[in-house]
Amino acid sequence: MSKKSRIFLSGVVEGFYGRPWTMTQRKELFRREQKWGLNTYLYAPKDDYKHRMYWRDLYSLEEADQLMTLISAAKEHNVEFIYAISPGLDITFSNPKEVAALKRKLSQVCGFGCRSFALLFDDIETEMCPSDKEAFSSFAEAQVSITNEVFLHLEEPHTFLFCPTDYCALFCTPSVPQSAYLNTVGEKLNAGIDILWTGPKVVSQDISVASIEEVSAVLRRPPVIWDNIHANDYDPQRLFLGPFKNRPTELIPKLRGVLTNPNCEFEPNFVAIHTLATWCSYGQKDVSMDGDDQGSDYNPHEALRLALTDWLVEFGKADQPDGARGGRSKREASDEEPMQTDGYVPGPKDNPLYTAEPLTLEDLTLLSELFYLPYEHGATAVLMLQELHWLRRHSDVAAFGAAGEDSEKGKEWRGRAEKFDNMCAAVVQMFNRLSNVPNRIILYDLYNYICDIKSGVTMAKAYVKTLGGQTPHPTLALTDDPEPWGFRGGLSGEFQRMLPSHGNRDLFRSPPATRVYTIRPCTPKDQPEVLKIFKEMQTETQQKVELVGDRLVEGHVTPSQNCGLILDDASGVCGYAFALSDAKAAMTKAQYSETMLQDFPSVMAIQIHSRVPDHSTAKRLIEQMLSALRDSGSKGVFSEFRSNDRRMFDFLKTLDVFQVLKVDGLPTNLVIMGTKL
């Protein structure tokens, strides 16, 4: 198949850690993919022993029969089945017997009818064994050599994917363009092989066109995105039911494909896969879902509404695990009264019979907003957090004495408490309706999660009642001896309660309450503490590289006005930032080119102690410094880092303020980052 005729790969990776999907679930996946216009399935379950841990072992007759059936089912639904293998845990690249074992394994799968393959080297150690060090100049060269050989052995299959060890920008040292590993892969990997990439991070909040253009230039081909935005195998308490988003449709012509690696639980992936299909449809001309006009561009909110509307239909199907139907056949359900009533009719003063309320689209929308995306809560979840935060902060006005009841603040507090109570009740109502849906297969995949969120909001509701002077139900009382459902249990819960921040506070945009930081001007008495941090960090890097910024820190050059800042915590000085609007004033020689200094005339020296976990604090320190430089008339600032100062380098990369600069003639042990002002 020629390179030009290859289709845009769109579909699903089964690549998570945990229990793999069943054969029945995979066949249902193929049916849905065909219905929604997707075309690819990448078989890579980490817990298939013969995919990863025992990759050398051939499949047994029974296993072979299952795989042949699966490959055949994919073909029936026009889905490209890509078989992936992960030999990186223990392969010796330089041993011909190992290469032969890999070829033998893939030839066996080829005999099952598979025509597309993937070789994955993700999540492995990068240290080569002595034999490989003798045979190859680098880890990348070892991987590329064996991948090219296998590709040719398979006689150039329909699709062949390669997953690098550095599969996201965060892993690339010192940057994507300067990564020796990625440059080797791009230069030496056979042009017929496509490369998997997860974006800026393992789980990328956003994937920009610029970032894809950057990595494509290094790889010398457009990547296939392995998208982990809906993956949940790293946290057993999280589920992601939000839409595919924060990936502009302008990416589509710049990629070879997008494959989502979604939740471990099969049924909740309805939303992730459905919305991905909607997104992909914008890369095809004259495509319209259900005859509707899709508008000018992909709208994640509309895509979510379409997905939830279709999913609601699935909830109404009376599917049971293993073919069971709750003990009653269709005929029994339609021709006879429900067995539990036994003809009983309540009297006028008796309790009415329980009637299960049907699940609504509003319920599913609420469910999605409570379990949205890794970096983002849905609208209702954000509102609930904001209300609880406000009610707790203003609980002093909830004094329900005579004066408190008549005060405006007291009335506002009680009104918002009632509003929060109603939102909690809606979650419980959603839980009750979900618990009674006919499709028990979907329910069982969701059950642990909806029980957990119901418990959480119920406890929050009881807490607000306590703040308002009311007495909650005894089993929900927050006492020194609570019931076990009144707190996050297990060893994991104990660890969380001891850590500085209980979870990712960035989701709520609120700094950790357990640590307070102060940013203030530097004074002469701070110099000993500044030098102490400076020398401690130099000891970490063990590189004696002369930096322009060092002269600022050591006091040989005075910072510009308002450009000497100290970061304090309860233990004292824990960081600093010094800047000079004209970097040339601190140079003992012409260290950098005039071209660079024209765009970035200012220099900043920054160091954050390793005891500071809060990235938002560092960002505030930097933004205050950039503001001072901007006021001085500077149009750009650079900062220098020793190349093995990986901790500080990674710390700053996550802030998304600086970019790595390409500077001609820069020593290999130096990295320059900068930003325009």
Side-chain angles (χ1 to χ4, degrees):
M1 182 177 291
S2 68
K3 191 172 182 179
K4 289 184 179 179
S5 65
R6 290 188 294 173
I7 62 173
F8 181 86
L9 302 177
S10 61
V12 179
V13 181
E14 185 180 347
F16 51 81
Y17 292 85
R19 178 184 293 176
W21 294 333
T22 66
M23 299 296 282
T24 301
Q25 288 171 332
R26 290 165 179 158
K27 291 177 182 178
E28 173 61 17
L29 170 66
F30 301 155
R31 187 191 68 79
R32 292 178 183 178
E33 284 196 88
Q34 183 181 38
K35 179 181 178 182
W36 299 336
L38 301 172
N39 58 41
T40 304
Y41 166 73
L42 176 56
Y43 177 88
K46 295 295 190 291
D47 278 13
D48 174 353
Y49 282 167
K50 293 185 179 180
H51 156 76
R52 186 173 173 87
M53 192 173 296
Y54 299 116
W55 61 269
R56 299 173 185 83
D57 294 359
L58 296 177
Y59 286 106
S60 67
L61 290 176
E62 182 181 356
E63 292 166 338
D65 183 62
Q66 284 193 323
L67 272 175
M68 282 189 281
T69 301
L70 198 61
I71 293 167
S72 177
K75 288 180 180 177
E76 289 176 12
H77 292 285
N78 296 320
V79 171
E80 186 73 15
F81 184 99
I82 304 176
Y83 175 83
I85 191 166
S86 297
L89 287 176
D90 60 1
I91 190 171
T92 301
F93 293 94
S94 56
N95 188 338
K97 292 182 179 178
E98 294 278 79
V99 181
L102 186 57
K103 291 178 180 177
R104 183 173 62 249
K105 178 66 166 288
L106 294 179
S107 292
Q108 184 196 30
V109 179
C110 192
F112 300 160
C114 184
R115 293 295 176 266
S116 294
F117 299 89
L119 204 50
L120 312 183
F121 294 105
D122 56 320
D123 301 340
I124 59 174
E125 294 297 327
T126 57
E127 182 67 22
M128 289 193 290
C129 66
S131 296
D132 288 343
K133 287 181 180 178
E134 293 177 6
F136 301 104
S137 62
S138 68
F139 197 42
E141 186 185 342
Q143 293 178 359
V144 167
S145 174
I146 197 172
T147 303
N148 286 341
E149 188 172 343
V150 169
F151 177 68
L152 295 176
H153 169 75
L154 293 170
E155 299 180 347
E156 302 191 8
H158 289 179
T159 299
F160 196 94
L161 303 178
F162 169 82
C163 184
T165 304
D166 292 356
Y167 55 80
C168 66
L170 186 64
F171 291 175
C172 296
T173 303
S175 65
V176 170
Q178 295 176 287
S179 166
Y181 175 92
L182 278 194
N183 275 283
T184 299
V185 169
E187 179 184 350
K188 297 187 176 182
L189 192 68
N190 190 300
I193 300 173
D194 291 306
I195 301 173
L196 292 161
W197 184 252
T198 66
K201 299 168 64 176
V202 178
V203 182
S204 295
Q205 182 174 7
D206 304 275
I207 301 178
S208 68
V209 170
S211 73
I212 293 303
E213 290 175 340
E214 179 183 61
V215 74
S216 297
V218 178
L219 299 178
R220 305 187 182 191
R221 71 205 81 193
V224 175
I225 296 297
W226 170 311
D227 206 320
N228 289 316
I229 191 64
H230 285 95
N232 72 335
D233 54 357
Y234 53 84
D235 188 342
Q237 293 169 344
R238 299 176 79 179
L239 185 73
F240 301 115
L241 303 176
F244 189 78
K245 65 179 298 192
N246 298 330
R247 285 98 172 99
T249 52
E250 290 80 8
L251 283 172
I252 293 173
K254 297 180 180 295
L255 297 170
R256 266 284 289 128
V258 177
L259 306 176
T260 180
N261 178 41
N263 298 282
C264 298
E265 298 81 2
F266 177 75
E267 291 295 341
N269 288 322
F270 193 99
V271 173
I273 301 169
H274 193 293
T275 56
L276 170 65
T278 303
W279 183 85
C280 288
S281 71
Y282 282 86
Q284 307 166 26
K285 294 182 179 179
D286 303 321
V287 175
S288 178
M289 293 190 65
D290 300 327
D292 293 335
D293 180 10
Q294 294 184 71
S296 60
D297 198 8
Y298 173 78
N299 182 329
H301 303 293
E302 178 62 17
L304 179 60
R305 186 190 67 81
L306 289 171
L308 294 177
T309 300
D310 286 353
W311 202 21
L312 183 62
V313 176
E314 298 295 316
F315 276 95
K317 297 177 180 177
D319 292 331
Q320 297 288 342
D322 303 320
R325 305 191 66 85
R328 292 194 293 147
S329 67
K330 287 184 178 178
R331 180 176 179 181
E332 288 173 329
S334 59
D335 295 347
E336 299 179 9
E337 288 292 322
M339 294 176 64
Q340 66 267 28
T341 64
D342 197 25
Y344 170 73
V345 177
K349 295 183 179 181
D350 296 333
N351 275 330
L353 289 175
Y354 176 80
T355 302
E357 296 180 356
L359 190 69
T360 67
L361 182 60
E362 288 72 24
D363 291 324
L364 287 187
T365 301
L366 174 59
L367 178 68
S368 173
E369 291 183 345
L370 297 177
F371 297 96
Y372 203 63
L373 291 171
Y375 300 96
E376 181 181 1
H377 293 314
T380 300
V382 170
L383 183 59
M384 292 183 77
L385 286 171
Q386 289 173 339
E387 288 301 304
L388 180 57
H389 187 68
W390 187 91
L391 290 166
R392 188 176 65 174
R393 193 170 70 245
H394 296 90
S395 60
D396 58 316
V397 303
F400 290 101
E405 288 187 6
D406 294 334
S407 71
E408 289 300 319
K409 287 186 177 180
K411 290 177 181 178
E412 181 185 7
W413 195 96
R414 291 193 300 280
R416 293 178 73 158
E418 183 179 0
K419 175 183 176 182
F420 183 76
D421 192 277
N422 291 336
M423 288 190 288
C424 292
V427 175
V428 175
Q429 183 183 54
M430 176 266 292
F431 170 87
N432 292 335
R433 289 172 174 169
L434 272 171
S435 299
N436 287 292
V437 294
N439 194 324
R440 314 306 284 174
I441 294 176
I442 305 179
L443 171 66
Y444 296 157
D445 272 358
L446 292 171
Y447 200 74
N448 287 344
Y449 299 100
I450 60 175
C451 279
D452 187 61
I453 196 64
K454 177 198 173 189
S455 173
V457 300
T458 302
M459 291 301 301
K461 176 180 176 179
Y463 175 58
V464 170
K465 286 185 178 297
T466 302
L467 291 177
Q470 298 173 271
T471 303
H473 190 280
T475 63
L476 300 175
L478 301 177
T479 66
D480 292 334
D481 185 25
E483 294 279 4
W485 52 79
F487 55 90
R488 176 69 64 209
L491 182 60
S492 177
E494 296 295 340
F495 278 129
Q496 284 191 0
R497 281 185 284 275
M498 295 176 69
L499 297 179
S501 177
H502 299 161
N504 187 351
R505 292 300 183 96
D506 283 344
L507 292 173
F508 189 36
R509 304 301 176 197
S510 174
T514 51
R515 187 172 295 192
V516 177
Y517 298 96
T518 303
I519 298 172
R520 59 175 177 79
C522 180
T523 65
K525 69 177 183 180
D526 294 316
Q527 190 64 17
E529 287 298 314
V530 167
L531 289 175
K532 181 179 178 182
I533 294 176
F534 175 68
K535 290 176 181 178
E536 185 178 335
M537 297 302 107
Q538 271 198 327
T539 303
E540 279 188 10
T541 62
Q542 295 182 338
Q543 277 189 359
K544 302 299 182 182
V545 184
E546 182 182 352
L547 305 182
V548 176
D550 289 352
R551 306 196 73 221
L552 279 167
V553 179
E554 292 173 322
H556 301 310
V557 177
T558 303
S560 298
Q561 187 175 7
N562 300 322
C563 290
L565 297 175
I566 294 296
L567 181 66
D568 275 330
D569 65 6
S571 301
V573 177
C574 58
Y576 58 76
F578 299 101
L580 196 63
S581 58
D582 181 9
K584 289 182 181 180
M587 292 186 183
T588 57
K589 57 183 179 180
Q591 290 177 256
Y592 302 116
S593 68
E594 285 293 330
T595 303
M596 188 195 96
L597 293 175
Q598 284 175 3
D599 292 331
F600 303 95
S602 304
V603 63
M604 178 170 66
I606 181 169
Q607 189 61 254
I608 307 295
H609 198 280
S610 55
R611 74 172 184 257
V612 179
D614 188 357
H615 291 63
S616 63
T617 299
K619 192 166 186 176
R620 289 199 302 272
L621 177 68
I622 292 171
E623 287 174 345
Q624 188 168 329
M625 182 63 76
L626 296 183
S627 178
L629 287 171
R630 199 177 291 114
D631 290 343
S632 73
S634 176
K635 63 179 183 179
V637 59
F638 71 90
S639 195
E640 310 148 296
F641 300 95
R642 295 165 177 87
S643 59
N644 64 355
D645 189 1
R646 187 60 188 257
R647 182 194 65 82
M648 192 62 191
F649 185 70
D650 289 343
F651 190 81
L652 290 177
K653 277 181 72 175
T654 62
L655 302 184
D656 198 28
V657 174
F658 294 105
Q659 301 298 321
V660 176
L661 304 181
K662 297 178 182 178
V663 180
D664 294 335
L666 193 69
T668 56
N669 56 0
L670 194 60
V671 177
I672 304 294
M673 301 179 78
T675 185
K676 296 289 185 69
L677 298 175

